[in-house]
């Protein structure tokens, strides 16, 4: 993996969805936070690097997975808009 890219919060839409953008590779995403978490990729950008973002005291970094999720974990990920490769 290459050097991580930082996502910047660029707007909050009237429906509450937050738009985040990468200044390096043009990746753009929309995020909704729990309880109705949703992530929609508008522009893929460079998918070979890790992206992270910071908003206030919260930093969202990439996650290293050391254990394969079981079926209930996969169901939860899917229900919350997170794609997990088979």
């Amino acid at each position: 993996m290459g050097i991580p890219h930082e996502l910047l919060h660029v707007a909050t839409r009237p429906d509450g969805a937050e738009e985040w953008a990468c200044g390096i590779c043009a990746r753009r995403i929309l995020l909704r936070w729990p309880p109705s978490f949703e992530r929609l990729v508008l522009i893929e950008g460079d998918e070979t690097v890790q992206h992270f973002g910071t908003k206030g005291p919260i930093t969202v970094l990439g996650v290293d997975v050391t254990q394969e999720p079981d079926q209930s974990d996969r169901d939860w990920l899917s229900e919350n808009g997170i794609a997990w490769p088979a």
Side-chain angles (χ1 to χ4, degrees), residues 7-24:
L7 292 169
L8 300 174
H9 177 238
V10 294
T12 299
R13 295 186 173 193
D15 65 359
E18 295 180 354
E19 188 169 347
W20 292 73
C22 177
I24 298 172

Side-chain angles (χ1 to χ4, degrees), residues 13-70:
R13 295 186 173 193
D15 65 359
E18 295 180 354
E19 188 169 347
W20 292 73
C22 177
I24 298 172
C25 71
R27 183 176 181 84
R28 291 184 87 79
I29 63 172
L30 284 180
L31 288 177
R32 289 185 207 283
W33 298 103
S36 299
F37 179 78
E38 182 178 13
R39 180 185 64 127
L40 175 64
V41 177
L42 302 173
I43 299 173
E44 291 178 358
D46 187 347
E47 292 191 314
T48 66
V49 299
Q50 187 177 60
H51 285 83
F52 71 95
T54 301
K55 183 178 178 189
I58 300 171
T59 300
V60 179
L61 299 172
V63 176
D64 291 327
V65 177
T66 58
Q67 175 181 333
E68 281 291 316
D70 63 20

Side-chain angles (χ1 to χ4, degrees), residues 1 6 16 44 76-77:
M1 263 196 193
E6 183 176 8
E44 291 178 358
W76 183 91
L77 290 166

